[in-house]
Every structure is written in C-alpha cells, then in structure tokens.
Amino acid sequence: MRLEKDEILLHNEKIEKKHIEKFLQLSNRLADKGLNVDQIVQDLMKLQIAIPSWALGTGGTRFGRFPEGGEPRNLEEKIEDVGLLHALNRSSGAISLHIPWDIPENYEDVIALASSFNLKFDAVNSNTFQDQKNQKYSYKFGSLCHTDPAIRNMAIDHNKEVIDHGIKLGSEAITVWLADGSSFPGQQNFRKALMRTRESLAEIYDHLPGSWSMFIEYKPFEPSFYSMVIPDWGTSHYLSSFLGPKALSLVDLGHHLPNTNIEQVVATLMMTGKLGGFHFNDSKFADDDLTVGAIKPYQLFLIFNELVYGMENNDSQNPPLAWMIDASHNVKDPLEDLLQSIEAIKIAYAQALIVERENLEESRETNDVVKAQELLQDAFRTDVRPLVAEARLQSMAALEPIQLYRDLNIRKILKGERGLKTIATGL
Ligand code: RM4
Ligand code: MN
Ligand code: MN
C-alpha cells in the first residue's frame, strides 16, 4: 500500500487553519524570547529517525503474543510499512535491518523499492543471540566471548556477513548487541570473556569499509541474569576506544538500571567523541521497549537538552548521531505506536531547542539553582506541538499522522492485503 500526496494535502487543508493559529501564537512567544523559530522548524524537519524492521509486527513476551493482523510477511512489506510511516510524518526516512531476519533476495529490487518511498538503509544489526536453523554450533554459552574459538569464529563470520549485506544496500554502520554473559556466579571468567570479546570485535572492526561505523550496544541484564559481558556504557566506551575511531557506543534507553542518569551518560560519551547513536524507547522497569516518551518524557527532554548542547559545542568532533527506535508493541498497532514514538522524539528535540541556553549557562555559573531549574522546566512545559506540526506541514507530511492513518483505515487495508494471521519476524 502506498499513500498518495493528494490524501495528505486534503487532510491538511481541512485542519490547516486551526494549526496556523496555534503556530503563530507560539512563534510570537518564542520570538519574544529571541529564538529563531524558522531555524527551529528547519532543524526539526531535518531530524530523521530510522525504523527497526523488527518493530513492524506485534511484539510478544515470553508468555504470549497477540498479533494485530496485516503484519508484514517479508522484507518488501516491511519497507512498505516504513514507507507509509515516512509518507505520514516525513521523519522516518530510513529502515534498520536485522540479519538474518531480513536478508534480501534481490538487492537491486529492494533498493529500488526503498528509494521509491524515499527510504535509506540505516545501520544493519547482527544476531548472535539466537541459534538459526542449520547452524553448526550453538550460542547457548555466548558468541563473541565464547570459550570455543570455533564458535567465536562463527559469530565473527556472521558479523562480517552482516557488514557485506549492508554494503550492498548502502548502509554505513553495523550495530552489535551481544546477549553474551552468565547467569550464575562462577560460570564465567569476567576478564577472559571481555578479552575474547575484544579480540573478536577487533576482527569484525577490520572488516569495516572506510566510511563505516561500528556501534557497540550495552545492556545490564537479560538474557543473562548474573552478568553481561558488555553491561554498561563504561565497558562499551572502553571497547570502542580500544578498537579505534570507527567504533562508537550506542545508547538504548531501555538498557540501564532504574534511575541511571542517562542524560549524564550521553553528555560524557559525546564529550569524549564516542557517542554513536540511540535506540529510543521508554521503560518503567528495564528493557520494556515501550513507546518513546510514554513513561519518562522529562528524562527524554533532558537527554535532548544534552544532545543540543553537544551539537552546538562539539569540541570532541563527535560524529553525527544515528537516530533509531528500538521498540516492541504488545498491545498497540505497531504503526500507530511508531508514529507516537517519532512524535515524542520530535517534541523532546523541539523542547531542547527552545531552552534559553545562554541564560541557563549564566545561572549555572552563578549557582542560581532555582533559575536553572525554571529555565529547563519552562522549555519542558511549553506545548511545542505546533512547532513539530509546522515542520510536518512544510515537509508535506500529515498535520495529524495518527488521525489520517485512522481516517484512511490503513490497518484494515493491510489486513485485507496480507491476511489476519501474518507474523513478522522479530522478538
Ligand atoms: C535487544 C537489543 C538490540 C536488538 C534486539 C532485538 O534487546 O536492544 O538492539 O537488536 O533486542
Ligand atoms: Mn537496542
Ligand atoms: Mn533492547
């Protein structure tokens, strides 16, 4: 299914007047504060967030899965779904593939299909956390850290193959997330496991083309419940520093223990030039993979506040960031959920862009704690949705993407085309 431009224009025409009123009111207020509203709208239009191929179907837990119907049955249909999202919001111009779930049958066709929707291929992801059919050895006791060199080599080769698939698609990065770790004290020698992982990563690193990056994701627990080989940003930072400039850390918002100050982690990684990008999601407890901004919108804003500061004060020459979502939808329509996530990211970015930065720095320097808090919260409590909507309007996206998705009965059409019992690959 493909959205026609006319459908978007018609939808916008109906609600444009109301939007313009709200937008003008807000822009006047922001202009009074000395902010450049046009520039903010431009910045918002530029931000593109990659959609993970594995989040287009209904997710599940280990207890069950309740498919929504009309889920993409193959890579082509996943690309079609991201095409729909991108047509609705013009902010989802890339898809992130997971190998071997998404191996193309014909690269040229897949590239042509993606570009017909104006989509690029974002980072490719390797999978050494599951055993595949006909796999020679098992990853039960780890992959890149395994005690057996034959198993380590199998995992290294898989990562190299993932890079090769990515090269053919025009990707420029690989994300490595390892389930490696141990579930019981004594099971694993921490040091040996980390050193073996470092060696394996170095071999994969050597396979990266010149322009490529390697993103190293960390996670404190799950599926290993006593220790993970790369549990935190410090270990990821250590590995990426050891490997070289193409290796960077990736922050998945759900991969922290409760109350971790993620915005501070982000500031430090960026200050040292080692922040590669994000997997956005939200969580109440751990790797819940909930809709971005659903639980802790203030934290999301504080993260963006650090990012905007870091982009404006980039002494360490941190490379441009990779923006991705990593989420799972157990009870919502995956496409509606992703639209909500993109909106939440844009809102947080817009809020960070309207922070009165000079005043904030001054109140910090003079230790005016109250003023500093007021300045941040003033930005956070401003309803910036008209800014985000204006960015959509100017990019020819829908003013209200979820409303249009519903008005056009998109899920019903997809169910009709693909069937009620389809299940997309993913977790
Ligand atoms: C993991 C991790 C990875 C993703 C898999 C599917 O928890 O977040 O980024 O590749 O899930
Ligand atoms: Mn992730
Ligand atoms: Mn995760």
Side-chain angles (χ1 to χ4, degrees):
M1 185 193 175
R2 210 175 265 273
L3 269 192
E4 300 301 331
K5 272 209 178 97
D6 289 353
E7 291 171 309
I8 307 243
L9 293 179
L10 203 71
H11 158 88
N12 285 355
E13 262 171 33
K14 277 190 242 152
I15 45 181
E16 204 173 312
K17 220 176 129 213
K18 229 167 118 194
H19 157 70
I20 291 175
E21 268 170 38
K22 286 193 214 156
F23 175 64
L24 286 179
Q25 221 179 3
L26 177 61
S27 0
N28 289 339
R29 213 191 116 197
L30 297 177
D32 283 348
K33 288 188 178 194
L35 291 157
N36 182 344
V37 178
D38 285 343
Q39 186 57 51
I40 294 174
V41 172
Q42 292 296 318
D43 288 346
L44 288 169
M45 285 166 71
K46 267 186 248 143
L47 185 68
Q48 295 293 322
I49 300 127
I51 303 294
S53 71
W54 60 98
L56 296 161
T58 313
T61 67
R62 60 201 165 109
F63 299 104
R65 184 171 180 166
F66 307 94
E68 171 76 28
E71 291 185 15
R73 292 165 293 184
N74 48 43
L75 177 55
E76 286 74 13
E77 290 181 352
K78 291 177 184 178
I79 292 173
E80 225 180 80
D81 275 12
V82 181
L84 281 171
L85 293 176
H86 192 44
L88 287 165
N89 64 21
R90 290 280 154 216
S91 298
S92 319
I95 179 167
S96 185
L97 302 190
H98 223 304
I99 308 293
W101 295 335
D102 302 310
I103 297 181
E105 270 171 31
N106 179 317
Y107 290 88
E108 277 174 28
D109 290 354
V110 159
I111 294 171
L113 180 68
S115 37
S116 75
F117 291 110
N118 285 312
L119 301 179
K120 293 193 183 125
F121 290 93
D122 207 78
V124 276
N125 300 262
S126 57
N127 181 341
T128 61
F129 48 87
Q130 289 174 323
D131 285 348
Q132 305 301 326
K133 253 194 250 149
N134 307 324
Q135 192 174 295
K136 197 164 174 199
Y137 307 109
S138 171
Y139 293 134
K140 180 172 179 183
F141 295 112
S143 60
L144 296 183
C145 81
H146 205 284
T147 47
D148 181 347
I151 299 182
R152 292 205 295 280
N153 283 332
M154 187 175 80
I156 293 167
D157 286 344
H158 165 69
N159 276 276
K160 288 182 182 170
E161 275 163 34
V162 172
I163 295 171
D164 295 340
H165 287 298
I167 294 171
K168 290 196 219 157
L169 292 166
S171 294
E172 294 224 293
I174 179 173
T175 300
V176 180
W177 171 69
L178 298 175
D180 295 19
S182 68
S183 279
F184 296 95
Q187 184 187 330
Q188 193 170 57
N189 182 317
F190 298 137
R191 295 178 184 211
K192 287 185 185 173
L194 184 57
M195 284 308 106
R196 287 193 291 253
T197 301
R198 195 181 81 171
E199 252 173 56
S200 305
L201 285 172
E203 282 201 43
I204 301 165
Y205 187 93
D206 281 344
H207 196 70
L208 292 173
S211 56
W212 271 56
S213 307
M214 175 196 275
F215 300 137
I216 303 176
E217 203 172 337
Y218 55 90
K219 184 171 177 176
F221 73 93
E222 198 205 18
S224 298
F225 287 108
Y226 170 64
S227 69
M228 294 284 274
V229 176
I230 313 179
D232 49 28
W233 72 273
T235 312
S236 165
H237 186 271
Y238 161 70
L239 290 169
S240 58
S241 304
F242 174 83
L243 291 169
K246 292 182 205 161
L248 300 157
S249 297
L250 184 127
V251 177
D252 182 317
L253 297 190
H255 293 191
H256 302 85
L257 294 172
N259 301 328
T260 299
N261 189 334
I262 303 176
E263 53 272 28
Q264 188 177 13
V265 171
V266 165
T268 309
L269 281 174
M270 216 175 173
M271 195 190 76
T272 51
K274 279 296 187 187
L275 182 60
F278 285 89
H279 275 179
F280 288 108
N281 49 47
D282 209 345
S283 61
K284 177 82 178 158
F285 300 103
D287 193 24
D288 308 355
D289 277 339
L290 299 176
T291 322
V292 183
I295 311 273
K296 290 171 282 196
Y298 193 48
Q299 173 184 267
L300 187 66
F301 158 71
L302 294 172
I303 290 170
F304 269 93
N305 182 46
E306 292 305 329
L307 291 173
V308 169
Y309 182 89
M311 291 190 268
E312 287 171 5
N313 301 276
N314 195 3
D315 301 337
S316 61
Q317 297 187 337
N318 197 90
L321 299 171
W323 311 95
M324 291 175 270
I325 289 179
D326 185 3
S328 176
H329 335 279
N330 303 336
V331 294
K332 287 180 183 166
D333 176 329
L335 294 178
E336 292 194 353
D337 194 331
L338 288 163
L339 288 170
Q340 285 187 311
S341 280
I342 298 282
E343 175 82 1
I345 292 169
K346 295 239 151 174
I347 288 174
Y349 185 34
Q351 288 166 334
L353 287 170
I354 65 164
V355 167
E356 293 173 57
R357 231 151 266 289
E358 272 174 37
N359 292 348
L360 178 62
E361 278 321 302
E362 197 190 294
S363 42
R364 287 168 168 178
E365 289 302 319
T366 54
N367 297 306
D368 190 342
V369 186
V370 170
K371 182 84 189 290
Q373 181 189 326
E374 288 293 314
L375 283 165
L376 277 189
Q377 291 190 333
D378 181 50
F380 178 68
R381 288 169 180 158
T382 304
D383 183 359
V384 293
R385 288 175 297 177
L387 284 176
V388 179
E390 178 63 19
R392 273 200 298 273
L393 188 66
Q394 290 192 27
S395 346
M396 307 274 280
L399 269 173
E400 289 179 15
I402 294 181
Q403 193 55 51
L404 181 57
Y405 178 86
R406 291 190 169 191
D407 290 348
L408 296 175
N409 282 313
I410 292 181
R411 180 56 62 186
K412 205 171 144 207
I413 296 171
L414 293 176
K415 282 181 186 170
E417 283 178 7
R418 301 170 180 171
L420 292 175
K421 296 262 179 286
T422 56
I423 293 196
T425 44
L427 289 179

